[in-house]
């Protein structure tokens, strides 16, 4: 048995990551390269280990949300293409150019600011807002977009290499959502084609996230921005993912103490749980400061010797209590507890218990939780 030296930790299974990459690549069109979305510390998994492994797997494109993340990927992947999806202060243009980072350009105003601050050409992809309502050039017809984009091609310090947009509801099988996504896709491809007719043939066009990539890959996209499925979770846990994926993160902790309580005994803050009879109660050394949501109090379960034991009472900052009465094997202090991951208790299931999404569960695992890389 491996000796447990941590109180709470997240195991990061790089063979699961490799498995998921293989599964996604199998459905991507031949012309479409995988762009690994590693923003937010690789969705909480630890960007260094994830990017190193992805490089080994031949992934060449990486997407992040800001310059700090871009530079963190650059340290691990000196030759990769690194793309910033969101806003970077335009004053950082020289740093982007120096580190060969590609920036998303969200408006004419932003383009002008980049042009002003850059001391060398900055590589860019232009962001269209085709229906997400978040960032990007807005328009209705291809021509209204193109009229706004043409001035950008005159800016000497912008090296425009691509066009992209983001889908609002690609994870939904609802008929109206499917039509909405198709309209978003049509808009960007029309703009791309119109620019080409005008002599601006861009090397890249991309719009697909995980959901679109695995459900409706479009061979016209040169890149597919793959986030959540690479980490082994579904874009929408109500909809089965049509490719085989495995969770990369498993969040674990240990039992510090086990006791028997009697009928009427209360557990944790606020006395929300009162034992209905004699129960075996185990204290676990993880809590909401580790990113395990307090909203899971009285709702979540965790695995002890393979049995899904209910959380009793409120989740505390650094600890929580489980009812381990149904575990037939003896439960003792030092035993390992699996809070979620590659087992029957998934991040998606926990998310469903309190109205969030698996993305938030994995991104929420806090900084004090060490990430332990395993490769089975
Ligand atoms: C986060 C993000 C993605 C990845 O989305 P997944 O659903 O995790 O695949 C793709 N594109 C943009 C613009 C994003 O912000």
């Amino acid at each position: 048995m491996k000796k447990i030296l941590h109180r709470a930790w997240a195991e990061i299974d790089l063979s699961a990551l490799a498995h998921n990459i293989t599964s996604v690549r199998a459905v991507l069109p031949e012309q479409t390269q995988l762009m690994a979305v590693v923003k937010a510390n690789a969705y909480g998994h630890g960007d260094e280990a994830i990017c190193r492994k992805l490089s080994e797997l031949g992934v060449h494109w990486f997407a992040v949300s800001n310059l700090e993340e871009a530079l963190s990927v650059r340290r691990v992947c000196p030759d990769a293409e690194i793309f910033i999806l969101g806003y970077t202060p335009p004053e950082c243009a020289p740093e982007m150019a120096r580190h060969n980072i590609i920036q998303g350009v969200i408006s004419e105003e932003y383009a002008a600011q980049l042009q002003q601050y850059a001391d060398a050409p900055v590589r860019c992809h232009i962001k269209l807002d085709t229906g997400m309502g978040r960032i990007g050039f807005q328009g209705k017809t291809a021509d209204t977009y193109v009229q706004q984009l043409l001035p950008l091609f005159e800016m000497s310090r912008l090296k425009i290499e691509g066009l992209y947009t983001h889908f609002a509801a690609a994870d939904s099988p609802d008929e109206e959502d499917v039509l909405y996504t198709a309209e978003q896709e049509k808009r960007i491809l029309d703009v791309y084609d119109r620019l080409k007719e005008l002599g601006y043939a861009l090397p890249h066009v991309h719009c697909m996230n995980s959901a679109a990539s695995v459900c409706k890959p479009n061979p016209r996209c040169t890149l597919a921005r793959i986030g959540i499925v690479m980490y082994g979770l579904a874009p929408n846990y109500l909809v089965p993912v049509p490719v085989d994926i495995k969770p990369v993160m498993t969040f674990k902790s240990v039992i510090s103490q086990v006791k028997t309580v009697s009928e009427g005994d209360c557990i944790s803050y606020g006395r929300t749980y009162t034992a209905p009879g004699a129960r075996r109660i185990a204290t676990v050394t993880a809590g909401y400061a580790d990113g395990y949501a307090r909203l899971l109090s009285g709702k979540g379960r965790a695995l002890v010797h393979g049995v899904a034991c209910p959380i009793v009472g409120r989740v505390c900052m650094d600890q929580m209590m489980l009812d381990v009465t149904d575990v037939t094997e003896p439960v003792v202090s030092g035993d390992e507890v699996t809070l979620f991951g590659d087992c029957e208790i998934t991040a998606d299931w926990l998310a469903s218990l309190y109205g969030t999404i698996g993305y938030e569960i994995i991104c929420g695992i806090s900084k004090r939780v060490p990430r332990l890389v395993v490769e089975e």
Side-chain angles (χ1 to χ4, degrees):
M1 252 307 267
K2 167 188 74 184
K3 193 159 165 51
I4 299 162
L5 298 171
H6 293 283
R7 176 191 66 79
W9 68 99
E11 290 182 1
I12 305 302
D13 182 355
L14 296 181
S15 33
L17 180 72
H19 171 87
N20 300 340
I21 290 289
T22 304
S23 296
V24 172
R25 276 183 172 152
V27 296
L28 285 186
E30 210 177 319
Q31 311 86 307
T32 309
Q33 287 188 74
L34 191 153
M35 177 189 266
V37 181
V38 293
K39 64 194 180 194
N41 197 25
Y43 288 37
H45 292 64
D47 60 5
E48 196 182 324
I50 294 288
C51 292
R52 187 164 286 129
K53 181 68 186 179
L54 289 170
S55 279
E56 244 177 74
L57 295 168
V59 173
H60 186 56
W61 283 87
F62 294 84
V64 294
S65 81
N66 60 58
L67 186 58
E68 290 69 35
E69 292 176 356
L71 297 179
S72 172
V73 176
R74 179 56 81 219
R75 281 191 283 278
V76 182
C77 308
D79 304 319
E81 299 287 22
I82 303 174
F83 178 57
I84 301 180
L85 299 157
Y87 178 82
T88 307
E91 293 86 341
C92 300
E95 216 175 345
M96 295 173 201
R98 191 158 62 244
H99 295 279
N100 192 24
I101 306 292
I102 306 167
Q103 173 62 45
V105 174
I106 60 175
S107 65
E108 195 173 343
E109 181 194 18
Y110 185 70
Q113 290 169 336
L114 275 186
Q115 166 72 12
Q116 180 194 338
Y117 287 106
D119 56 3
V122 176
R123 298 174 67 194
C124 309
H125 289 193
I126 298 170
K127 176 75 182 271
L128 302 187
D129 182 355
T130 56
M132 174 69 182
R134 193 165 65 178
I135 48 172
F137 288 83
Q138 286 164 278
K140 286 268 184 284
T141 63
D143 280 326
T144 58
Y145 283 108
V146 168
Q147 286 316 310
Q148 299 173 72
L149 303 186
L150 289 179
L152 273 60
F153 292 92
E154 305 304 318
M155 298 183 183
S156 57
R157 297 205 173 101
L158 265 54
K159 196 164 179 294
I160 300 167
E161 301 176 349
L163 192 66
Y164 73 112
T165 194
H166 192 44
F167 291 146
D171 61 341
S172 165
D174 180 275
E175 198 184 327
E176 278 183 29
D177 288 330
V178 172
L179 290 173
Y180 193 88
T181 305
E183 175 60 26
Q184 285 195 269
E185 190 171 62
K186 182 179 180 315
R187 280 194 193 180
I188 185 165
L189 292 172
D190 285 351
V191 174
Y192 181 80
D193 291 340
R194 189 81 192 97
L195 284 173
K196 195 170 176 179
E197 284 166 21
L198 294 170
Y200 304 104
L202 298 174
H204 290 288
V205 58
H206 48 111
C207 51
M208 300 186 292
N209 53 8
S210 290
S213 301
V214 298
C215 296
K216 260 196 174 171
N218 185 326
R220 292 208 54 199
C221 296
T222 61
L223 295 162
R225 303 189 304 265
I226 306 292
I228 199 73
V229 297
M230 181 169 81
Y231 304 104
L233 296 183
N236 174 348
Y237 53 70
L238 301 172
V239 182
V241 179
V243 299
D244 186 53
I245 51 172
K246 291 182 191 154
V248 176
M249 179 192 289
T250 298
F251 185 30
K252 292 186 173 177
S253 185
V254 291
I255 286 170
S256 57
Q257 190 179 349
V258 188
K259 59 182 175 277
T260 301
V261 299
S262 0
E263 183 182 343
D265 287 349
C266 296
I267 303 289
S268 200
Y269 290 122
R271 304 192 299 116
T272 57
Y273 175 85
T274 306
R279 311 300 296 173
R280 290 287 285 167
I281 303 294
T283 302
V284 181
T285 60
Y288 62 77
D290 300 296
Y292 192 95
R294 186 172 173 279
L295 286 170
L296 289 167
S297 298
K299 290 191 176 135
R301 284 174 180 263
L303 280 189
V304 180
H305 295 295
V307 180
C309 301
I311 295 173
V312 288
R314 289 203 180 132
V315 173
C316 310
M317 190 181 292
D318 318 301
Q319 306 176 72
M320 70 180 89
M321 275 64 80
L322 298 176
D323 182 340
V324 296
T325 313
D326 294 339
V327 182
T328 46
E329 283 174 58
V331 179
V332 296
S333 88
D335 280 355
E336 193 175 285
V337 177
T338 303
L339 295 159
F340 67 79
D342 191 11
C343 61
E344 65 175 282
I345 299 175
T346 61
D348 280 338
W349 180 69
L350 290 183
S352 74
L353 293 179
Y354 74 106
T356 186
I357 52 177
Y359 295 72
E360 190 178 5
I361 302 263
I362 55 178
C363 290
I365 297 305
S366 59
K367 205 172 171 183
R368 81 173 187 187
V369 175
R371 272 65 172 173
L372 303 188
V373 169
V374 296
E375 200 153 12
E376 277 145 19

